[in-house]
Amino acid sequence: MNYYCKKITIIHLIVGARPNFMKMAPLNDELSLHSDKFQAMLIHTGQHYDEKMSKLFFQDLGMPEPHAYLNVGSGTHGQQTARIIERYEDYILQGNRPDLVIVAGDVNSTIACALVAKKLHIPVAHLEAGLRSFDERMPEEINRILTDRISDLLFTPSQDGNANLINEGVAPEKVYFVGNIMIDSLVKHRVKAEESTILKDLGIAGHDPYALVTLHRPSNVDEVSGLMILLDAFAELGRHIRIVFPMHPRTSKNIELLDLTSRLEEIPNLTITEPIGYLDFMKLQMHARLILTDSGGIQEESTYFGVPCLTLRENTERPITTAIGTNQLVPLDSQSIIEYSERILTGDIKKGSIPKYWDGKTAERVVHVLDEWFNLA
Ligand code: UD1
């Protein structure tokens, strides 16, 4: 008998930290629609391990359990990156060699797994390639540059990404402008997010205005001086509007360690919560009067929702959100934060528009490229 056996292309989708989950979920879904050609395997490094930083996102996004969990946990950059490299290499060498590894964004899991794959001569694709803050003090900037440098396929979310890569000498035929894959998750889950009861749970009635705050960048939360500036600004902001502040574990640990708990408690009108799941957080974003953040993803999500966002950083690797979106960079001083917030609260609001290909169809475009790249189309 003559059996014709068609080869299935095996793809590892690497997730590790919170912002990876909403980028890989749409790709995992899309690849599963093409199971005659592709088998996607989710590999979780365990960089984020708290229930509310990881498991909750799998549930909210309807993601299957990962195929492998490397359980690396926290540590210094060196320790964490080294553990991921060691364990992921080990996993591949134990008979789990894929045909392609896809990494996303700029976290330590991204560069660590890209490096392992590349040295084992496995092609690497980078989702969210080409973004640059041009600030090499940010660990994420190093992760982005190095991952892009060794990737075989570079999927950019906006055309500034293409320009950055071409300027760095990346061969244009490796670069594909596919749009923002995180927006695929927003488009898919927006209706479900509206059903979240988070506003009611927090005692926010009807159209009660509130400002949504998130902070976790080392440059903002690792030093007393930076944290004091931010807490002072929030103390004034709280006199004008209620503040909802889901707190990242890094931030809560530092506030305690740096003895700033009483400063935090003095802020009027402040509701602090633990990290919040995907659907609840979407609802909080959609209905906020104003968002203050140092996150990368929230700059993009707020632009998509058309909600004013003040980014408490000196620079952004997502300049399209300030150029055409609702985002505004604010220098790290209390007076500026208060002034920019007051402008928004008194109705001086920047009208933004949604960038090209932030349309919920990025995963489809990525799979189309993969089809052609592997010559499966
Ligand atoms: C990481 C990413 C950052 C991303 C952020 C989103 C890197 C270099 N940074 O930063 O780009 O924006 O995720 O959250 O990869 N911790 C817990 N529980 C957890 C995870 C972390 O308590 O589940 C605490 C630990 O004390 C840990 C600290 O948070 O040391 C920092 O975690 P880490 O993964 O090193 O970096 P993030 O600040 O989360």
Side-chain angles (χ1 to χ4, degrees):
M1 244 194 288
N2 198 2
Y3 289 104
Y4 169 65
C5 191
K6 197 170 165 196
K7 184 181 178 318
I8 302 280
T9 300
I10 295 177
I11 302 182
H12 282 183
L13 302 178
I14 306 296
V15 292
R18 188 167 61 176
N20 294 150
F21 306 131
M22 56 294 266
K23 293 170 193 163
M24 282 305 181
L27 191 52
N28 190 56
D29 288 348
E30 186 65 27
L31 286 168
S32 68
L33 297 177
H34 298 80
S35 55
D36 54 325
K37 296 175 183 172
F38 298 108
Q39 186 192 354
M41 297 174 70
L42 277 169
I43 311 294
H44 193 326
T45 65
Q47 174 173 350
H48 284 174
Y49 43 89
D50 278 0
E51 173 119 4
K52 296 200 161 80
M53 298 290 285
S54 173
K55 198 164 180 203
L56 190 48
F57 283 77
F58 272 72
Q59 284 163 8
D60 278 2
L61 293 160
M63 279 165 103
E65 287 282 314
H67 277 80
Y69 186 74
L70 306 180
N71 200 20
V72 300
S74 298
T76 64
H77 283 268
Q79 289 164 344
Q80 190 175 59
T81 310
R83 275 204 294 269
I84 301 168
I85 290 177
E86 201 174 348
R87 293 187 193 181
Y88 184 47
E89 185 186 61
D90 215 36
Y91 176 72
I92 292 183
L93 294 179
Q94 279 166 19
N96 300 300
R97 187 184 173 91
D99 300 300
L100 175 73
V101 172
I102 306 188
V103 294
D106 53 20
V107 302
N108 287 341
S109 302
T110 309
I111 176 61
C113 293
L115 205 52
V116 168
K118 193 68 184 177
K119 289 201 170 179
L120 292 173
H121 304 163
I122 300 166
V124 176
H126 186 201
L127 269 181
E128 206 184 85
L131 298 185
R132 297 288 181 268
S133 66
F134 302 101
D135 176 359
E136 291 190 2
R137 291 168 308 161
M138 282 180 79
E140 292 82 0
E141 184 74 354
I142 312 294
N143 293 342
R144 286 179 206 117
I145 294 172
L146 298 181
T147 304
D148 284 341
R149 183 66 191 77
I150 58 174
S151 289
D152 300 278
L153 284 163
L154 296 102
F155 294 117
T156 61
S158 46
Q159 275 150 322
D160 52 287
N162 293 56
N164 292 333
L165 293 169
I166 302 308
N167 282 340
E168 289 173 19
V170 175
E173 60 272 19
K174 289 184 177 177
V175 183
Y176 297 87
F177 170 43
V178 290
N180 192 331
I181 195 143
M182 209 176 54
I183 303 301
D184 286 22
S185 283
L186 284 196
V187 169
K188 178 168 178 194
H189 295 288
R190 190 173 186 159
V191 172
K192 218 184 328 158
E194 270 301 358
E195 291 163 10
S196 149
T197 59
I198 186 77
L199 296 182
K200 217 168 93 210
D201 299 345
L202 295 175
I204 299 171
H207 296 288
D208 280 359
Y210 60 91
L212 178 62
V213 171
T214 80
L215 292 175
H216 74 281
R217 293 274 158 212
S219 56
N220 280 338
V221 305
D222 281 5
E223 305 284 339
V224 172
S225 52
L227 268 175
M228 296 258 277
I229 288 170
L230 293 162
L231 297 182
D232 282 352
F234 301 153
E236 177 58 27
L237 183 64
R239 295 181 43 235
H240 304 279
I241 188 167
R242 178 168 178 178
I243 302 173
V244 177
F245 188 175
M247 212 180 268
H248 186 285
R250 177 184 206 111
T251 310
S252 35
K253 276 179 198 165
N254 284 346
I255 286 181
E256 210 181 305
L257 269 173
L258 300 169
D259 224 1
L260 291 170
T261 309
S262 56
R263 288 288 270 257
L264 185 72
E265 285 168 357
E266 279 161 23
I267 299 174
N269 245 329
L270 173 67
T271 305
I272 295 172
T273 73
E274 291 196 336
I276 283 183
Y278 184 72
L279 297 172
D280 289 342
F281 194 74
M282 285 310 107
K283 173 116 180 188
L284 276 173
Q285 281 200 74
M286 286 189 270
H287 294 274
R289 179 68 58 91
L290 155 72
I291 297 174
L292 298 104
T293 190
D294 58 12
S295 149
I298 295 171
Q299 296 174 51
E300 299 180 334
E301 289 167 343
S302 55
T303 275
Y304 184 78
F305 289 134
V307 173
C309 177
L310 298 179
T311 293
L312 310 177
R313 284 173 47 187
E314 286 168 8
N315 49 53
T316 177
E317 61 288 338
R318 293 160 160 92
I320 198 157
T321 60
T322 55
I324 69 167
T326 53
N327 189 24
Q328 167 76 52
L329 290 180
V330 179
L332 196 64
D333 69 80
S334 308
Q335 205 45 44
S336 302
I337 297 170
I338 293 162
E339 276 173 26
Y340 278 100
S341 302
E342 274 173 358
R343 269 190 229 164
I344 293 170
L345 297 181
T346 54
D348 181 3
I349 293 172
K350 189 177 163 195
K351 288 265 170 292
S353 58
I354 298 178
K356 187 176 175 190
Y357 285 173
W358 292 26
D359 58 358
K361 296 191 170 129
T362 294
E364 236 176 272
R365 287 187 280 269
V366 169
V367 172
H368 183 70
V369 172
L370 296 181
D371 243 357
E372 295 201 329
W373 201 74
F374 281 105
N375 217 353
L376 304 170

